[in-house]
Amino acid sequence: DIQMTQSPSSLSASIGDRVTIICRSGQNINNYLNWYQQKPGKAPRLLIYIASNLQSGVPSRFSGGGSGTDFTLTIDSLQPDDFATYYCQQTYNGVTFGPGTKVEIK
Amino acid sequence: QVQLVQSGAEVKKPGASVKVSCKASGYTFTDYYIHWVRQAPGQGLEWMGWISANNGGTNYAQKFEAWVTMTRDTSISTAYLELSRLRSDDTAVYYCARSADIFKGLAGDYWGQGTLVTVSS
């Protein structure tokens, strides 16, 4: 199995801040990296697929980058609706989720 | 609109089996995969496997291969997850999710509402 790590595990930020979450894979995953947002009691929501492609309907303040083993999710100008847990997911070899990053209000 | 509607909550005893359903609507069922993902209380997401709604082919996470079965019934656009020999640590919310193929990253673009399975004696 390809292991995924995320950093930080949690962060506190203010409305309007720029937030970056890092996801690393244990081997090259050829950009088969997706990002999800999950709020308590709700199903995950797809934000970004194949590293940098914005899913339809997702606000443009979300962006994904990176390649190989190192990937980022950036939220420009954090909004109240963005406080949630974010997961990365590799689909290059099997499917594995990262452990998640909780974004909290400062 | 695309919808995945899952069956209701279940309470099972250790050693029992459970079958969760995921009924799809609003799209051509056989054009997509259905993934199953679980989330234990307070924990992260754990991928269990996928089934091709087109040909019924499956790909299970190694951890689940021996005791999970994924099937589908194309006549009613429904996918199923069956878990056998349940243990208390199988208590979790089980989600189904739709994905296109690897050209769209096998990303889950629509999800069911989740089904809570509680395993308790």
Side-chain angles (χ1 to χ4, degrees):
Chain A
D1 286 2
I2 297 178
Q3 299 303 310
M4 306 298 291
T5 61
Q6 288 183 235
S7 60
S9 57
S10 65
L11 65 90
S12 296
S14 300
I15 302 299
D17 282 355
R18 186 174 200 237
V19 167
T20 297
I21 299 168
I22 295 169
C23 175
R24 289 195 169 96
S25 58
Q27 65 186 71
N28 188 334
I29 56 172
N30 281 333
N31 291 3
Y32 286 106
L33 190 284
N34 308 315
W35 288 98
Y36 298 87
Q37 175 195 67
Q38 188 182 33
K39 297 181 180 179
K42 299 294 187 182
R45 173 196 182 196
L46 177 65
L47 301 175
I48 302 286
Y49 63 95
I50 312 179
S52 60
N53 295 277
L54 190 68
Q55 172 66 4
S56 175
V58 174
S60 58
R61 63 180 180 274
F62 290 92
S63 63
S67 63
T69 60
D70 296 339
F71 300 89
T72 57
L73 173 70
T74 298
I75 311 172
D76 282 323
S77 188
L78 199 66
Q79 297 300 302
D81 192 47
D82 301 338
F83 293 97
T85 300
Y86 293 84
Y87 294 92
C88 61
Q89 177 201 44
Q90 71 80 22
T91 57
Y92 177 67
N93 186 349
V95 178
T96 320
F97 285 96
T101 296
K102 188 172 184 179
V103 176
E104 299 174 301
I105 301 174
K106 183 183 284 185
Chain B
Q1 73 282 23
V2 174
Q3 278 193 301
L4 298 175
V5 178
Q6 297 183 224
S7 50
E10 303 264 11
V11 179
K12 295 291 182 181
K13 293 192 182 304
S17 298
V18 70
K19 193 170 186 177
V20 179
S21 67
C22 171
K23 182 168 178 59
S25 61
Y27 72 97
T28 302
F29 181 64
T30 51
D31 283 351
Y32 291 83
Y33 295 81
I34 295 291
H35 298 243
W36 290 94
V37 175
R38 77 177 185 179
Q39 187 168 38
Q43 302 301 307
L45 302 171
E46 183 174 31
W47 179 77
M48 302 177 70
W50 56 247
I51 180 167
S52 165
N54 181 31
N55 59 23
T58 54
N59 181 13
Y60 299 144
Q62 191 171 16
K63 171 180 177 178
F64 297 101
E65 273 179 353
W67 52 283
V68 160
T69 304
M70 297 177 189
T71 56
R72 94 283 189 232
D73 184 338
T74 58
S75 69
I76 55 172
S77 300
T78 300
Y80 301 94
L81 170 71
E82 185 168 17
L83 298 92
S84 60
R85 304 190 301 276
L86 288 166
R87 306 181 336 174
S88 58
D89 61 359
D90 293 319
T91 294
V93 175
Y94 290 78
Y95 293 102
C96 62
R98 180 191 88 159
S99 85
D101 60 21
I102 195 65
F103 295 102
K104 292 279 279 189
L106 280 177
D109 59 355
Y110 285 90
W111 292 65
Q113 83 276 20
T115 296
L116 175 62
V117 175
T118 302
V119 183
S120 173
S121 55

